[in-house]
Amino acid sequence: MGRKIGAGILGIAVAVALVWVVEKIGHSIYPPPADLDTGDTDVMRAYVDTLPLGALLSVAVAWFIGSVGGTFAACKVGTARPLVYALVVGGMMFAGAAFNLLIIPHPMWFSILGVVGIFVGTWVGMNLGSRRSAAG
């Protein structure tokens, strides 16, 4: 039981870490203004409206990579059925993205791409992580 729960926690941690790393790379390419008030929804809404395509795509890619990596890690380490880990990791990724999209309005195409990317990434991570070697 402990390994099952630990694998789920590991998967979420890996997903969050990967999102953070990929988004940091995106911020290094498209740095936000130094005086950006991230706590002000109106300011953030106006800022998102000015972002170039690459900046938004880097976030969608981060969500996809986080979903793949987190689900893969959980499936590799855990002993439960892979679908359980896909639901746990993918569900947490979706919840985080939904919260982000509700708090800071984004273009509709980005919202759709980001959410679809989470579901596809979770599916890919589950399939890659659940494959067992033929020798063992």
Side-chain angles (χ1 to χ4, degrees), residues 53-118:
L53 177 65
L56 290 168
L57 288 176
S58 71
V59 174
V61 168
W63 293 359
F64 173 78
I65 290 173
S67 298
V68 172
T71 304
F72 175 84
C75 289
K76 278 297 188 190
V77 171
T79 57
R81 293 185 178 171
L83 182 59
V84 170
Y85 299 117
L87 292 172
V88 168
V89 176
M92 291 301 291
M93 288 292 296
F94 175 74
F99 179 75
N100 182 298
L101 294 169
L102 288 172
I103 297 299
I104 306 166
H106 291 73
M108 183 59 69
W109 68 264
F110 171 83
S111 300
I112 293 168
L113 179 67
V115 169
V116 169
I118 289 170

Side-chain angles (χ1 to χ4, degrees), residues 5 12 16 18 44 47 53 73 76 79 97-98 112 120 126 134:
I5 293 170
I12 293 167
V16 169
L18 287 171
M44 288 302 294
Y47 172 64
L53 177 65
K76 278 297 188 190
T79 57
I112 293 168
V120 170
M126 179 183 73

Side-chain angles (χ1 to χ4, degrees), residues 15-28:
V16 169
L18 287 171
V19 168
W20 183 81
V21 167
V22 175
E23 286 189 0
K24 281 299 244 185
I25 293 168
H27 287 309
S28 71

